[in-house]
Amino acid sequence: MIDTTEFLDIPTTTLADLLGRERVMDIGIRPLWEPVPRIAGPAFTVRCPVGDNLMLHAAIHRAAPGSVIVVESGDLDYALAGGNVCAVAQRRGIAGFVADGLIRDLAEVRAMRFPVFARGVIPIPAAKSAVTRFGERVRCGGVPVDAGDIVVADEEGVVAVPASRHEEILTAARAKLAKEAAETLDEWEAAHRARVDEILARGGFEG
């Protein structure tokens, strides 16, 4: 079983360097309150049609503790969840929400310090009628996310690590962080300037 808590020590910037742009959600998926703690957990995937939030409301009773509920919606007219939904999710041990949509009751959510990464807030709730399946591939912030992928989110953004690559990426991330920690700023500056100057010279820059 994957121990996703190991990713709590890995910044999303490090993961983004290793995984590339295609695994990083767009800038619209952002923390709705700050300073937000980093979260990391297996994705519990949910699809909510525009104007409907039924399946997210069902998911909070079904996702395992430690999960990050990832929602495909794209709805910018109605809220997917509010304060009570977030409170129940928090009480059940869910790590947080990553939602391609909106929530409401932000003051309550902020006060309880439940991590929500979404596109924003709106005061009107969606309907509850559309039934969809859990555990299917969803698209959130432009990134395909499968159930069980490791979702890491912090103030820099949201990254989805494919479950099949978790050991490889975790090992590479730790090595990268260790190397960076051992390098002084003077060493970094010298190497950085040399690399930049080399690229400039190849491009014919003089000065």
Side-chain angles (χ1 to χ4, degrees), residues 26-197:
D26 70 54
I27 62 170
I29 311 298
R30 63 190 188 278
L32 295 189
W33 54 268
E34 296 180 343
V36 69
R38 182 177 299 129
I39 62 172
F44 185 93
T45 56
V46 180
R47 184 175 290 108
C48 289
V50 170
D52 200 282
N53 63 22
L54 175 66
M55 297 313 293
L56 174 54
H57 287 236
I60 64 171
H61 303 291
R62 290 161 177 80
S67 299
V68 176
I69 294 182
V70 180
V71 187
E72 175 182 323
S73 173
D75 190 348
L76 298 181
D77 290 313
Y78 297 94
L80 290 164
N84 286 343
V85 169
C86 291
V88 172
Q90 184 179 57
R91 187 163 64 182
R92 295 201 65 254
I94 291 165
F97 291 166
V98 174
D100 202 326
L102 312 172
I103 71 159
R104 67 178 194 165
D105 302 329
L106 180 58
E108 294 177 32
V109 176
R110 181 172 53 237
M112 72 180 76
R113 298 187 58 80
F114 181 69
V116 176
F117 297 78
R119 293 200 181 274
V121 295
I122 198 167
I124 185 168
K128 295 173 181 61
S129 61
V131 176
T132 62
R133 294 180 182 273
F134 292 135
E136 295 184 339
R137 172 174 287 192
V138 298
R139 194 165 188 85
C140 185
V143 174
V145 181
D146 290 310
D149 285 352
I150 299 96
V151 176
V152 183
D154 60 21
E155 63 185 1
E156 300 279 355
V158 185
V159 180
V161 181
S164 62
R165 299 185 63 192
H166 93 276
E167 288 286 2
E168 167 206 345
I169 296 301
L170 184 61
T171 299
R174 285 174 170 166
K176 189 175 189 300
L177 290 171
K179 179 181 178 182
E180 291 170 352
E183 184 178 50
T184 68
L185 180 58
D186 287 343
E187 291 169 336
W188 183 90
E189 182 183 10
H192 178 261
R193 178 163 187 173
R195 181 164 60 92
V196 170
D197 286 349

